[in-house]
Amino acid sequence: MSFDIQKIRQDFPILAQRVNDKPLVYFDNGATSQKPQVVIDAEARYYNEINANIHRGVHHLSQVATDAYEEARVKIQQHLNAKNSFEILFTAGTTFGINLVANGFGQILQPGDEIIVSHLEHHSNIVPWQLACERSGATLKVIPMLADGSLDMEAYTALLNDKTKIVTVNHISNALGTINPVKFIIEKAHEVGAAVLIDGAQAVPHLKPDVQDLDCEFYAFSGHKMCGPTGTGVLYGKEQWLNQLPPYQGGGEMIKEVTFEKTTYACLPHKFEAGTPNIAGGIVLGTAVDYLNGIGFDNIVAYEHQLLEYATKRLSELEDIEFYGTAKEKASVISFNFKGIHPYDVGAIIDKLGIAVRTGHHCAQPIMDYFNIPGTIRASFAFYNTKEEIDQMIEALKKALMMLR
Ligand code: PMP
């Protein structure tokens, strides 16, 4: 398929907006992606045509809604190349998926067991594991980061031992864009019998993970970062692990039988899907996956790489710029600062010129502490951005620097 950027941009109505009387340049894709019209339409179609509760009604609409929801699960199974559709759990997002796993491990780990996270993690892949340690008496170990924003793999292998029960890292760092060597990390963890959870929040908009090839035990991501609705997400888990973990939430739909003496749980995936789920969200996430596959991840990767290279080159022309995260394997995320200038000041000024970037610690304070900075300016690109927009950002940055110096 050819990659027609103008046609793609027309799929996203929000991109035609003006902000502060300037054309919107949306470079905050790491926080959330914009939504194509097909996704917006699918949400409306659900409520206009098939809204009903699922898995419980004998009536027509309930059956139609159930079928659509389960078809979306199968679509996501195929997208991730999972072995079984019941290994795909619908969640409210990455945070929910990680908490589900960490909560389970908090109940099965023993004092002295070890959990390994990395220095590059989002807070949502740190705090749930700290809670699991508090609950179980396990110890948290951290894979150190190197100056270029990559992980120290030698130090990682030295941390592994027979007390390591789970290793958890992000596939791509939201703060720096580093693409981690997750296959190597998983292989090494398996050598000591540890399970691995991959936080795929930042990976799924840019690549198509193959969970069987990776061989990870768990893979968590959010729908809203990959053109889907907010409040949606997926946790992939290997069958034997999902069977082993205790349920996360109790309620309707997750049980086989309930008496006051004892409750038995439903089979997968229902054991982890208590209550009425985000039915519309799950179905529409399937639409978003179809949309992205229609564009093609090979096209997305190649085009975003061009944007990354172009933006890096243009930004390098600016005086006193400092880049954070310069690892060779990198997604289309650039974190930077200007010497002596607070990132927030730059972000606030360029917002007045229509440019949306994120400034701050990006929910990754340990990374900011490593560089001894309060935060960065982060421009994160999607396949619907353009080089012209990068030029607009450069012009806006020049104006901001003139005002601030
Ligand atoms: N992990 C990473 C790497 C992220 O970038 C994010 C979102 N910024 C999360 C986890 C949390 O995702 P959510 O807020 O959608 O649950």
Side-chain angles (χ1 to χ4, degrees):
M1 193 209 121
S2 71
F3 188 84
D4 181 346
I5 182 66
Q6 287 317 322
K7 193 163 158 293
I8 286 170
R9 284 180 70 78
Q10 280 165 15
D11 292 341
F12 292 82
I14 208 168
L15 297 179
Q17 250 190 62
R18 291 177 77 81
V19 167
N20 293 323
D21 208 28
K22 298 280 187 308
L24 166 67
V25 171
Y26 187 77
F27 286 164
D28 196 16
N29 297 288
T32 197
S33 73
Q34 297 302 348
K35 319 300 170 202
Q37 190 66 50
V38 281
V39 162
I40 300 166
D41 289 347
E43 187 91 22
R45 191 173 328 113
Y46 171 81
Y47 288 111
N48 277 322
E49 294 173 17
I50 63 172
N51 176 49
N53 214 328
I54 55 169
H55 297 143
R56 55 183 88 173
V58 290
H59 63 82
H60 172 76
L61 276 187
S62 172
Q63 200 52 55
V64 174
T66 303
D67 289 349
Y69 194 65
E70 292 308 320
E71 276 163 26
R73 196 190 302 275
V74 170
K75 200 173 279 181
I76 292 161
Q77 172 209 348
Q78 290 165 352
H79 182 70
L80 300 178
N81 191 31
K83 207 183 223 168
N84 303 294
S85 65
F86 56 75
E87 294 173 315
I88 302 300
L89 310 182
F90 281 117
T91 67
T94 312
T95 304
F96 190 105
I98 295 171
N99 274 279
L100 186 158
V101 179
N103 177 73
F105 271 84
Q107 292 176 61
I108 59 179
L109 292 181
Q110 304 292 321
D113 286 344
E114 294 179 1
I115 298 172
I116 298 183
V117 300
S118 93
H119 200 113
L120 265 183
E121 297 314 303
H122 187 281
H123 296 162
S124 66
N125 202 25
I126 300 174
V127 185
W129 300 106
Q130 290 173 325
L131 293 171
C133 286
E134 271 172 34
R135 189 166 186 178
S136 63
T139 309
L140 196 70
K141 301 276 168 170
V142 183
I143 310 170
M145 184 177 78
L146 300 171
D148 68 352
S150 63
L151 290 176
D152 184 340
M153 284 298 102
E154 229 171 273
Y156 165 58
T157 42
L159 283 177
L160 289 164
N161 63 68
D162 59 4
K163 288 183 283 182
T164 314
K165 296 298 175 236
I166 183 156
V167 175
T168 176
V169 292
N170 56 40
H171 200 161
I172 297 183
S173 152
N174 63 308
L176 305 180
T178 314
I179 303 176
N180 287 315
V182 285
K183 227 175 148 174
F184 176 82
I185 290 172
I186 294 161
E187 266 171 34
K188 286 287 164 195
H190 287 173
E191 283 174 15
V192 296
V196 180
L197 180 148
I198 302 295
D199 167 359
Q202 293 295 331
V204 287
H206 306 292
L207 54 88
K208 192 170 170 156
D210 180 330
V211 292
Q212 288 192 76
D213 179 52
L214 287 173
D215 201 24
C216 54
E217 278 59 45
F218 304 98
Y219 196 100
F221 63 91
S222 304
H224 70 93
K225 294 189 199 275
M226 58 178 312
C227 296
T230 53
T232 64
V234 166
L235 174 70
Y236 158 79
K238 278 186 187 166
E239 178 181 4
Q240 89 232 39
W241 278 97
L242 292 179
N243 280 329
Q244 206 175 315
L245 286 189
Y248 183 39
Q249 294 186 330
E253 291 303 305
M254 54 76 74
I255 54 91
K256 200 179 276 165
E257 272 179 84
V258 177
T259 68
F260 285 111
E261 289 70 39
K262 180 159 176 62
T263 290
T264 51
Y265 304 124
C267 58
L268 296 174
H270 308 294
K271 174 181 155 191
F272 290 103
E273 293 185 355
T276 301
N278 182 352
I279 305 166
I283 295 170
V284 178
L285 180 55
T287 310
V289 165
D290 280 344
Y291 176 79
L292 289 172
N293 280 318
I295 292 177
F297 279 89
D298 289 348
N299 289 325
I300 290 173
V301 168
Y303 181 74
E304 289 179 346
H305 190 71
Q306 286 175 25
L307 291 181
L308 175 70
E309 293 214 313
Y310 184 71
T312 307
K313 179 173 132 301
R314 292 288 341 256
L315 283 167
S316 307
E317 294 164 12
L318 301 176
E319 215 176 297
D320 287 341
I321 191 162
E322 288 173 333
F323 292 104
Y324 304 95
T326 50
K328 211 162 131 268
E329 297 294 327
K330 204 170 133 74
S332 51
V333 175
I334 306 187
S335 250
F336 58 95
N337 273 331
F338 297 97
K339 235 177 245 155
I341 298 177
H342 198 282
Y344 176 81
D345 294 340
V346 179
I349 294 175
I350 67 172
D351 171 56
K352 294 283 174 281
L353 301 167
I355 318 289
V357 292
R358 179 149 176 201
T359 64
H361 55 60
H362 316 298
C363 300
Q365 283 180 348
I367 299 180
M368 304 302 132
D369 291 346
Y370 177 97
F371 291 115
N372 198 20
I373 50 174
T376 71
I377 306 158
R378 182 188 71 181
S380 49
F381 310 113
F383 57 90
Y384 43 72
N385 290 129
T386 64
K387 288 185 181 170
E388 291 72 31
E389 289 182 306
I390 291 169
D391 291 337
Q392 279 165 263
M393 176 178 73
I394 298 292
E395 289 317 304
L397 286 170
K398 283 181 182 166
K399 285 188 184 144
L401 291 173
M402 247 160 46
M403 288 172 72
L404 292 166
R405 274 188 178 134

